[in-house]
Amino acid sequence: MDRIRITGGHPLSGEIPISGAKNAALKLMAASLLTAEPLVLTNVPRLADVRAMAELLKSFGVGVQITLGDGLGEGDGYRFHAATIASSFASYDMVRKMRASFQVLAPLLARHGEAKVSLPGGCAIGARPVDLHLKALEAMGASVVLEDGYVIASAKGGLKGARIDFPFVSVGATETAMMAATLAKGETVIGNAAREPEIEDLGKCLIAMGAKISGLGSSTIKVEGVAKLNGAEYAVMADRIEAGTYAIAVAIAGGDVELIGARRDDIAPLLNLLQQAGTDIRETKRGIALHRNGGRPAAVDITTAPFPGFPTDLQAQFMALMTVAEGTSVIRETIFENRFMHVPELGRLGADIKVTGDIAAVRGVARLRGAPVMATDLRASVSLVLAGLVAEGETIVNRVYHLDRGFDRLEEKLRAVGAQIVRERE
Ligand code: UD1
């Protein structure tokens, strides 16, 4: 298994291009199932999860072609053509690797009238049920049965528009409801919808495909079903979690870096906190520029929340920054249980963190020291890389396949701005 070796203590300087958003790209790919015409996506990130989703789509009979590629099976542009749906079965083996693959359920059901999709696996961050997805589909007239770890859904006469009020905000369930509603008969109103920018991105792509959707970015989304959708060409939005991660990298390692393609509005709560902690930030024509000159960051508190709150997907990275802060930071995780798996690993580097329930108290230390650590999930792994940038000596991050699921060419991007980071293949 590959590992990453980092020698800490080198400030960063230069530019980092931000790739397309994983959490948008995967759903846009699933949306290709909604139409018999080709969907062309550009700005697709080069990630293991994207390759896994492409394989899953192929298993349904979708034609997948790289349109902008390096000739070695990697690309930034793809054409997905679901002329007919040959199979609507997503096996446990396919879905367990990545929770987002569950998002094929709604488009398969909406277009094909039936689907059998394994219950998901994905990151080991606590129980992650799919009850809200299933209730939304049932409200639209689908019959849903759970059997041997599979969801078997059917809607022979087609889905019907419905009023769906989610009891709490779920990104995935909002996307399921929105995709299903595009081809349902009549109007669907989704109440307490998630407002994450990736949902807006999916909505805009669906609109480009002929869907009738209003209220994107608000907590009430309305969809007027249409008989069929058409093909489109769409550029995936920039990855706000990747942008936020590199913003934190500058805050922790110091230096001067411009994040090309990053959008301030997508990560405003993070940028405000980084400013409070002592990083200079300004918007540029091409993205966001960050500057930080030595010294320890100030401790600030965070509580994760649905958008526009502080994203749970940046909690581990922000905690890495707080391990070297001046003072104590209180970090509260409200979205997922068991999302503090990075805590013991950061502890191996000398961090002082105490967890009580959903709260971590991080008492900043003057310095971290490099050590071997183990990546446990996607965002946790990158927090260890960030800590390695500031730790004295060498940090070795093992099990980096988690990183490859969600960070496009991470070592390459960090090395280009002066980090001492190498991948060792085994
Ligand atoms: C998506 C993101 C993930 C991010 C999360 C929250 C993708 C591929 N993943 O995950 O990176 O951390 O949003 O911003 O886009 N829940 C239920 N029942 C359901 C659905 C969700 O109880 O049917 C719970 C979850 O366990 C969790 C909370 O709702 O506690 C929020 O989850 P949700 O917003 O659905 O996250 P995902 O879409 O899985």
Side-chain angles (χ1 to χ4, degrees):
M1 241 178 274
D2 291 2
R3 56 179 175 229
I4 284 180
R5 187 182 293 270
I6 307 151
T7 310
H10 299 274
L12 309 178
S13 145
E15 297 177 2
I16 300 181
I18 301 305
S19 297
K22 168 178 93 76
N23 286 352
L26 296 172
K27 323 303 172 59
L28 296 173
M29 291 170 74
S32 70
L33 292 164
L34 287 164
T35 173
E37 293 176 21
L39 176 66
V40 175
L41 298 179
T42 55
N43 201 32
V44 178
R46 297 179 182 200
L47 300 172
D49 275 9
V50 164
R51 292 189 287 274
M53 184 60 104
E55 286 309 309
L56 181 61
L57 293 176
K58 279 186 201 165
S59 77
F60 305 138
V62 178
V64 178
Q65 244 183 307
I66 296 180
T67 52
L68 295 168
D70 57 8
L72 302 168
E74 287 277 26
D76 304 332
Y78 280 83
R79 180 176 184 270
F80 301 97
H81 191 187
T84 52
I85 303 220
S87 153
S88 58
F89 172 66
S91 72
Y92 172 67
D93 239 23
M94 286 286 202
V95 181
R96 82 185 155 83
K97 294 181 199 138
M98 175 179 62
R99 182 179 164 87
S101 47
F102 191 73
Q103 297 304 107
V104 298
L105 175 64
L108 283 174
L109 181 65
R111 164 113 179 268
H112 190 62
E114 59 178 20
K116 180 172 176 180
V117 175
S118 168
L119 287 164
C123 281
I125 49 175
R128 293 177 75 173
V130 288
D131 52 325
L132 301 187
H133 298 243
L134 303 184
K135 282 198 187 111
L137 295 174
E138 279 174 336
M140 298 171 83
S143 120
V144 176
V145 183
L146 293 184
E147 217 174 83
D148 305 330
Y150 281 87
V151 175
I152 302 170
S154 68
K156 290 289 183 227
L159 293 167
K160 294 179 204 66
R163 166 97 214 181
I164 298 163
D165 281 301
F166 288 119
F168 53 88
V169 173
S170 159
V171 172
T174 301
E175 291 164 342
T176 285
M178 193 163 76
M179 285 195 276
T182 56
L183 292 179
K185 278 187 207 92
E187 188 187 61
T188 297
V189 179
I190 307 169
N192 203 14
R195 291 183 281 163
E196 268 65 7
E198 292 77 11
I199 296 204
E200 210 169 326
D201 213 42
L202 173 62
K204 284 188 192 155
C205 178
L206 293 169
I207 290 170
M209 292 163 71
K212 295 206 171 112
I213 303 176
S214 62
L216 287 173
S218 81
S219 49
T220 307
I221 296 176
K222 287 192 184 149
V223 184
E224 183 65 45
V226 294
K228 68 182 196 49
L229 294 177
N230 45 258
E233 183 165 340
Y234 192 80
V236 180
M237 67 177 276
D239 196 315
R240 67 193 170 101
I241 303 303
E242 189 196 25
T245 300
Y246 291 128
I248 297 171
V250 182
I252 200 167
D256 256 305
V257 173
E258 188 175 6
L259 304 178
I260 310 297
R263 302 193 305 205
R264 186 181 172 101
D265 288 351
D266 289 351
I267 45 170
L270 169 73
L271 296 178
N272 293 338
L273 289 170
L274 289 180
Q275 256 163 340
Q276 282 175 38
T279 302
D280 299 327
I281 297 171
R282 68 190 163 81
E283 270 182 279
T284 63
K285 279 198 187 115
R286 299 190 302 163
I288 300 170
L290 297 106
H291 168 76
R292 178 166 172 74
N293 234 347
R296 288 167 65 186
V300 287
D301 298 339
I302 61 167
T303 297
T304 62
F307 193 85
F310 190 95
T312 174
D313 286 350
L314 287 172
Q315 179 256 107
Q317 298 89 315
F318 201 82
M319 189 183 292
L321 174 66
M322 290 297 103
T323 62
V324 291
E326 199 92 63
T328 297
S329 156
V330 176
I331 295 182
R332 180 151 181 250
E333 171 59 55
T334 71
I335 309 289
F336 292 112
E337 16 173 306
N338 198 15
R339 210 178 201 184
F340 283 142
M341 284 180 308
H342 41 288
V343 168
E345 299 303 309
L346 288 169
R348 294 176 58 77
L349 302 173
D352 179 351
I353 307 167
K354 286 202 175 47
V355 173
T356 319
D358 61 358
I359 290 178
V362 187
R363 212 165 59 110
V365 295
R367 65 183 61 82
L368 299 177
R369 282 183 221 280
V373 288
M374 199 166 67
T376 48
D377 76 39
L378 175 53
R379 311 303 175 186
S381 336
V382 84
S383 77
L384 301 172
V385 172
L386 296 180
L389 294 176
V390 75
E392 268 176 15
E394 245 181 27
T395 298
I396 296 161
V397 183
N398 293 294
R399 289 209 190 164
V400 297
Y401 60 86
H402 289 292
L403 278 178
D404 297 334
R405 284 192 43 214
F407 285 89
D408 183 357
R409 290 164 280 181
L410 173 97
E411 321 89 82
E412 215 177 284
K413 290 187 186 189
L414 281 173
R415 214 169 27 241
V417 292
Q420 303 274 301
I421 175 169
V422 288
R423 174 181 290 247
E424 294 176 350
R425 297 190 189 272
E426 281 199 348

